[in-house]
Amino acid sequence: MTVSGVIVMYRVEALKEIGGFNTEVMTEDIDVTWRQIKENGKVLIEGCNNGISNT
């Protein structure tokens, strides 16, 4: 499972631990998820939140 989408939140410390965003990929959200799992072995996904957009 990957963390992906237009509304994704990361802890700053977690991003620092994996070296931040990789500027060489187009799917930085998926890349961050995979590197976070590889580095720390875990990712928290909260699936109970809903968002509303009036676009």
Side-chain angles (χ1 to χ4, degrees):
M1 182 174 280
T2 61
V3 177
S4 61
V6 295
I7 303 174
V8 177
M9 295 172 55
Y10 302 103
R11 289 184 308 108
V12 173
E13 288 302 317
L15 284 174
K16 288 180 181 178
E17 288 174 3
I18 62 169
F21 288 105
N22 181 351
T23 60
E24 301 295 318
V25 299
M26 291 179 61
T27 56
E28 69 282 345
D29 47 359
I30 295 171
D31 178 67
V32 165
T33 303
W34 289 344
R35 290 189 294 129
Q36 185 68 32
I37 291 170
K38 183 178 178 183
E39 182 75 23
N40 299 313
K42 63 181 178 179
V43 172
L44 174 65
I45 299 174
E46 174 58 61
C48 297
N49 293 318
N50 294 313
I52 298 173
S53 175
N54 295 322
T55 57

